[in-house]
Each structure stands twice: as C-alpha cells, then as structure tokens.
Amino acid sequence: MHEPIVDLRSDTVTRPSAKMRRAMAEAEVGDDVYREDPSVNRLQERAAEIFGRAAALFVPSGSMGNQIALKLHTHHGQEVICEERAHIYNHEMGALCAFSGLVPRTIRAEDGLLTWDLIAPWIRGRSDHRARTGLIELENSSNLAGGTVYPPEISRDICERAHAAGLPVHLDGARIFNAAVALGRDVRELSQPFDSVMFCLSKGLGAPVGSMLVGSKELIEEARLIRKMLGGGMRQAGVLAAAGLVALEEGPARLATDHANAKFLAQELAEIPGLSLNPDKVVTNIFFVDVLGTGLTSFEISKRLAARNVLINGVTPSTMRIVTHLDVDRRGCERALQVMREVLPARPRAEVA
Ligand code: TLP
C-alpha cells in the first residue's frame, strides 16, 4: 500500500479546507469588474482594515500583484533596486522588463536582507548618462534566502530614507504573515512604512487562489486599471474571495505550527551525513539544504524521494528547498525524514574520501 504524499515543494500546494469549500459554494457573487461582487468587496475591505490602509485589490496571483505595483510606481527605462534573490527578478518571467520596461538593479545581501547602506550607493538620480532609480523593492519573508525575515527597524529605515530621497518602496509580502508570526509583530506594523504591499492568500494561509494589493485609495484605483489591462478582471470572483476571507481570518493563527515543523525538519536533516544546513537560521516555513556532500545531485535525490511519495524540489544541482504548510503535519515530517535517510547513500562522498 502506498503511503500518502508528503508534499514539501511549496506552500502553494495547499488545498482548500472543508470550511473554505462550503464558503465558496455559498458565496454571494456579482460582476467584480462592475464592483458588484459582495464577497470580493468584503475581502478587499477586510484586507485594507487588517493592514490599516485605505484600500485593497483582489488579484489572481502574487506575481500579478507585484507587477501591477511595479508598473504603478515607475516609468519605462528606470531601475528597480531589489535583492539578488528577489521573486520579482527570478520568478516572474521577466515581466518587470517586458511589461514595465524596468532594469533590475540587484544587490546581494546576507540572508537576502537589504540595508540602507547596501542600497544607497546604487541610487541614481537624474543624469545624462544613467538610468534613474524608480523604485526599491523588499521581500519579507525572503523566499530564496530561506524564509528570512527583516528586522522591522531595518525595513522601516529603508523606507524612511527612500522616501526622503523621493523614492517609493514596494513590499513583496507574499509571506508577510509568516514574517509577522516569526517576529511576534502585526502585519500592519511591518508593512506600514511601504507605499504598496502585496500579500498572498494562496500560500501558507491556505486559499486555493488569490493575492491582495494594498495601499492608498488613489494607488488602488490605478491598480484596478492595470489589473484589467493584464486580463485580471475576474467577474464572479466571489467564489474565490469567499475562500480568501476564510484564509485571512483563520490562516495566520496556525502558521506557528508550520514554523515549528520547519525547525524540526531542519534540526533532524542537519544530523544526516552529507546534508548541510544551519537550523538556527530557520525562522519561518522555508529553508534550503545543501546536498553536495551526499555525492548525489538534488535532482537525483528529488527523483528517489518522489518514488517514495515524498516531494521536495531541487533548486540548483546542490540545493533543495523545503517548505512546510498546513497539509503537512508532524507525522508527515517524520516520514519525509525517514525516507530521506533511506534514499541517501549510507556512506556519503565526503566520508568515503
Ligand atoms: N513563489 C512560488 C514560486 O514562484 C517560486 C513558490 O513556490 O514559493 N513573491 C514571492 C516571495 C513568492 O514566493 C511567490 C511565489 C510570489 C511572489 C508569486 O506568487 P504567485 O505564485 O501567486 O504568482
């Protein structure tokens, strides 16, 4: 008999709960392009309220939310400053160039966390020779840096100094609720200094689809137009917003469990010969494991695990990303560990040498 799948590829794989499905089935709907979908309107009002902003917009994906924000804050030919591992740069299909005509100015920062000192030398004002900086973008938590979290005083400092220099700052807060739980702070407080914030309902919070863009009334009015331009006018989207509302109200409270599971997995994996990681750095639900010492590529390990119904993605040939979420409990973590021990060579390369 096959064991159930333990899927640690991403928190995007979560499936809607029974309560969400009920809410979806019973959702009041209307045409949201006419602003007549009561469920979408409720979700937008609630998101704005939680983030302490004037308005919010329901968008089909985090990528679309980010790209709308980049478009709104910039002009073609400008630079956007972001960390080298930023999602907007690495995983949004080059949309920042294709759609907004932006040049990414990437900066490498320890743990993916920028500081004003790292950013300041790259800010370009009006010049006869160089593209001007149009926007600074931060990601919290930082996905590709392993779920790391900005100390609130650092992100606030960046925003304040950027504003003093006349620059807007966008927050890719796909997992801002994870950051808030890790820090024991409020999402409102963490996101308050930013000009716009995107967060995802469809990751750790558990909704099947959807993200939100929050900001001022003027910004969100403009965002509606860009969303429509991108084909993101969703009509009777209340069936999705209803699930989003359940995610928003009930999702954050259980993220601490995902963080504890990630920590547990990291501590146990660090004990397996051939695997290398620092469990002390695991503060949210994402971390990376270096598999070089096993003598196998991450892709080979991925294949071996998948044959045993454990799904973990290789990201580079020597690293794998592990993401915990509501569809993987502690027993699932224990089974993933057991299978990992079984598929790796008994004497890894480092020891054989
Ligand atoms: N991230 C996905 C992949 O695209 C890598 C994942 O599995 O983690 N910002 C951040 C920080 C993200 O991690 C993601 C998704 C997005 C934006 C985009 O969200 P979607 O997938 O809804 O477009």
Side-chain angles (χ1 to χ4, degrees):
M1 197 185 72
H2 272 305
E3 296 269 18
I5 289 175
V6 179
D7 193 342
L8 294 162
R9 291 172 301 173
S10 181
D11 48 10
T12 60
V13 302
T14 55
R15 277 158 301 190
S17 63
K19 183 165 179 184
M20 273 180 198
R21 288 174 189 268
R22 258 195 320 275
M24 293 170 83
E26 291 164 9
E28 271 185 279
V29 297
D31 190 325
D32 180 51
V33 173
Y34 290 100
R35 306 179 190 223
E36 288 171 3
D37 189 301
S39 303
V40 171
N41 291 341
R42 251 196 314 277
L43 172 64
Q44 291 176 164
E45 282 158 22
R46 186 69 184 119
E49 183 181 48
I50 288 171
F51 281 76
R53 298 295 177 117
L57 185 69
F58 187 42
V59 289
S61 68
S63 302
M64 190 187 284
N66 278 337
Q67 294 303 324
I68 290 171
L70 298 192
K71 180 80 181 161
L72 288 176
H73 289 303
T74 61
H75 298 291
H76 266 61
Q78 290 188 327
E79 288 193 351
V80 55
I81 293 180
C82 59
E83 210 275 335
E84 195 178 287
R85 286 161 281 185
H87 194 277
I88 56 160
Y89 172 56
N90 291 283
H91 283 299
E92 296 187 11
M93 314 301 289
L96 83 177
C97 308
F99 183 56
S100 295
L102 295 172
V103 181
R105 172 63 65 186
T106 63
I107 301 172
R108 179 85 180 179
E110 195 180 339
D111 295 329
L113 305 174
L114 291 167
T115 60
W116 182 254
D117 285 350
L118 291 169
I119 293 170
W122 297 104
I123 291 177
R124 312 277 189 222
R126 194 185 175 86
S127 154
D128 286 342
H129 303 285
R130 289 174 178 278
R132 193 170 179 168
T133 306
L135 176 71
I136 297 169
E137 188 262 6
L138 306 186
E139 189 176 305
N140 197 15
S141 66
S142 167
N143 177 352
L144 291 187
T148 52
V149 165
Y150 271 94
E153 57 284 3
I154 301 282
S155 49
R156 176 175 290 278
D157 181 58
I158 292 172
C159 291
E160 284 174 359
R161 291 173 191 250
H163 293 155
L167 287 171
V169 192
H170 171 67
L171 174 63
D172 177 346
R175 297 183 181 84
I176 191 65
F177 283 94
N178 295 84
V181 166
L183 292 162
R185 308 289 265 267
D186 212 58
V187 288
R188 177 196 289 234
E189 179 196 351
L190 298 186
S191 62
Q192 185 273 331
F194 292 84
D195 298 275
S196 52
V197 183
M198 184 285 291
F199 75 92
C200 293
L201 298 161
S202 66
K203 299 197 167 56
L205 302 187
V209 178
S211 294
M212 308 297 300
L213 186 64
V214 283
S216 68
K217 199 159 171 23
E218 302 70 41
L219 186 101
I220 296 303
E221 277 306 309
E222 289 304 305
R224 283 190 80 88
L225 306 184
I226 308 296
R227 181 186 68 173
K228 190 67 167 55
M229 185 187 282
L230 288 169
M234 291 187 289
R235 308 298 177 184
Q236 287 73 38
V239 287
L240 299 175
L245 267 165
V246 176
L248 195 52
E249 300 302 348
E250 301 194 351
R254 50 155 313 288
L255 293 177
T257 305
D258 298 344
H259 298 181
N261 282 337
K263 190 72 144 184
F264 167 71
L265 274 171
Q267 283 164 342
E268 295 293 319
L269 287 168
E271 298 296 317
I272 299 179
L275 300 183
S276 168
L277 71 150
N278 180 357
D280 294 342
K281 292 238 170 179
V282 178
V283 293
T284 59
N285 67 325
I286 303 180
F287 66 95
F288 286 79
V289 187
D290 188 316
V291 299
L292 197 64
T294 64
L296 300 174
T297 66
S298 67
F299 308 120
E300 174 58 26
I301 296 171
S302 211
K303 223 179 338 170
R304 291 183 186 190
L305 292 170
R308 303 278 309 275
N309 275 356
V310 173
L311 306 183
I312 301 177
N313 276 342
V315 176
T316 70
S318 64
T319 53
M320 306 187 83
R321 185 183 74 148
I322 294 183
V323 188
T324 55
H325 53 79
L326 62 96
D327 283 345
V328 178
D329 59 11
R330 187 56 68 99
R331 262 191 71 209
C333 295
E334 281 162 358
R335 196 162 74 74
L337 284 167
Q338 184 56 32
V339 173
M340 182 67 100
R341 290 187 193 104
E342 288 170 14
V343 303
L344 293 181
R347 290 189 68 210
R349 193 175 57 180
E351 285 186 14
V352 174

